[in-house]
Amino acid sequence: MYLPHEAKKPFEITEFFSAFEHHCDSSYSFEGEFHNFWEILILTEGELCTSEDDRVYTLKKNQIIFHKPNSFHNLQAASEIVKYVVISFNVFGNYMKRFENKILTLSDEELLYVNSILRMFSAENLDPKAMKITKFLKIMGNKPILYHRFTNYMELLLISLSENDMSSSNLVDNEETRIYKKAVNTLEEKIFSNISVDGLAKECNISTSQLKRIFSKYTGIGIHEYFLQLKILYAKKLLANGMSVTEVAERMSFSSQNYFSVVFKRKVGISPQQYKNKK
C-alpha cells in the first residue's frame, strides 16, 4: 500500500519582481528604497558600500547580501569597476529569517548557480549597462521551461546558502555610521510624531549641514523624504490592520487627511482607501 508523503520545501519562490546584471564605475550610486519583497544583491566584481536600515556594510567580490521586505537600502560603488546582480522575489517559507542582517561569501557550488543565472542573462543578449530591470522577466514569461530553470537555480542557491553559512559582518563602524545609526533610530522613535531636520541634528549632537551630508551619503535621499517613506510604510500596516484613513492620518501626525492621501498616492501609486479596500 502506497501512502503519500508531503514534499516540504524550505524555499519556494512564488514570483519575481526584477532580475538583472549591472556594470558601473566608481561614480555610481543608487537612491535608496523600501519595498515589501526580498531582494538579493550579488557582487561579482569590485567593491560596494550598501546600507540597510541603520546599518552600513562593505560588500566585496563574490559576496551576497539579502535585503528583507520593508527595509530601506541603497548602494554606492566603492571601486573603479563594479559588477553586480540583483534579483527580487517573494518566497514562501520561514527559512529566510536566517539571512537577515548577514553578508555571505559564495562557495564554489554557489558560484556555479550564479554563473548559470548569468549565462541565462547573456543568452538573451541583455545589456548589463542598460539595467533593464524587467526585460529578462518579460522574456522568461514567454518561455516557461526557462523560467522554471531560472527559479530552480535561485532555490538551489538559497538551499546551499542556508546549509553553508559563510557569513561575515562587514559592518562599517566609524563616527559617520554611528551618527547615521542614531539619526535613523531617532526617526523610527518619532514615527508617530514629527521632528524637524534641525531637531534631529540636535538629537545627534552635530550641525544640520553635517547631518544632511551624512544622511545623503548613506541613503541617497533627503531626511524629510526618508521620514515620509518611513511613515507611509507604517501607514500601510495600520490600514491593512483595519484603521480608517482618517485615523491613520491622525496617528501618523500628518497635518491633514488630504495631505496624507496625496503623499500616500505619490509613494504607493493608489489612494489609501484603495489600498485599504485591496487589503
Side-chain angles (χ1 to χ4, degrees), residues 9-268:
K9 299 175 68 175
F11 304 102
E12 185 171 359
I13 295 176
T14 57
E15 54 191 348
F16 290 97
F17 298 91
S18 65
F20 61 91
E21 180 186 12
H22 187 48
H23 298 181
C24 57
D25 59 26
S26 58
S27 64
Y28 179 76
S29 65
F30 174 73
E31 186 177 284
E33 62 179 0
F34 291 93
H35 48 63
N36 62 349
F37 43 80
W38 281 93
E39 179 177 284
I40 60 170
L41 188 152
I42 305 165
L43 189 62
T44 55
E45 186 160 338
E47 191 170 308
L48 277 175
C49 178
T50 181
S51 66
E52 183 174 43
D53 293 334
D54 64 349
R55 296 172 299 280
V56 179
Y57 300 94
T58 297
L59 199 66
K60 299 182 183 299
K61 183 178 179 179
N62 294 337
Q63 290 187 326
I64 180 172
I65 187 169
F66 287 76
H67 295 303
K68 60 184 179 291
N70 298 320
S71 64
F72 179 86
H73 53 276
N74 82 325
L75 63 88
Q76 293 176 313
S79 61
E80 287 302 315
I81 298 174
V82 175
K83 297 180 182 180
Y84 64 88
V85 176
V86 168
I87 301 173
S88 58
F89 54 94
N90 268 333
V91 58
F92 180 78
N94 59 6
Y95 274 57
M96 293 299 292
K97 281 193 172 294
R98 63 185 61 194
F99 297 134
E100 292 181 3
N101 307 326
K102 284 183 181 178
I103 286 181
L104 304 173
T105 300
L106 299 173
S107 67
D108 291 341
E109 178 187 2
E110 290 147 10
L111 285 171
L112 287 176
Y113 298 137
V114 172
N115 288 331
S116 296
I117 290 170
L118 290 174
R119 281 196 296 271
M120 294 187 75
F121 290 165
S122 61
E124 302 302 334
N125 297 315
L126 299 178
D127 179 5
K129 291 184 179 179
M131 203 167 160
K132 300 294 185 183
I133 294 177
T134 59
K135 186 175 180 181
F136 176 75
L137 297 180
K138 288 178 180 177
I139 293 170
M140 290 295 99
N142 298 319
K143 300 179 179 181
I145 298 298
L146 291 181
Y147 208 111
H148 195 161
R149 183 182 299 165
F150 175 66
T151 304
N152 282 350
Y153 285 144
M154 276 294 298
E155 289 179 348
L156 287 168
L157 176 62
L158 295 179
I159 290 168
S160 180
L161 286 166
S162 69
E163 292 175 335
N164 305 304
D165 185 357
M166 299 172 66
S167 62
S168 56
S169 66
N170 287 46
L171 272 172
V172 180
D173 184 19
N174 54 40
E175 185 179 359
E176 280 193 349
T177 58
R178 288 192 287 272
I179 291 170
Y180 172 69
K181 183 181 180 73
K182 169 69 173 175
V184 169
N185 289 339
T186 301
L187 290 176
E188 289 178 348
E189 290 167 5
K190 304 285 186 181
I191 193 67
F192 297 119
S193 58
N194 286 308
I195 185 170
S196 67
V197 177
D198 290 341
L200 183 60
K202 189 173 291 186
E203 290 270 356
C204 296
N205 200 30
I206 60 171
S207 69
T208 301
S209 60
Q210 280 181 298
L211 179 63
K212 286 181 176 179
R213 179 186 61 78
I214 292 171
F215 209 88
S216 178
K217 177 178 178 178
Y218 293 119
T219 66
I221 59 177
I223 297 168
H224 179 68
E225 181 66 18
Y226 180 94
F227 199 35
L228 277 181
Q229 290 196 38
L230 198 60
K231 279 180 173 285
I232 294 302
L233 181 65
Y234 274 78
K236 288 164 71 176
K237 294 177 182 178
L238 296 179
L239 289 168
N241 287 335
M243 266 195 178
S244 71
V245 176
T246 303
E247 288 172 329
V248 174
E250 184 177 345
R251 183 75 180 93
M252 301 309 302
S253 295
F254 281 86
S255 57
S256 69
Q257 180 183 325
N258 182 59
Y259 177 54
F260 167 63
S261 297
V262 168
V263 173
F264 190 97
K265 188 168 185 178
R266 175 160 56 90
K267 298 294 183 186
V268 183

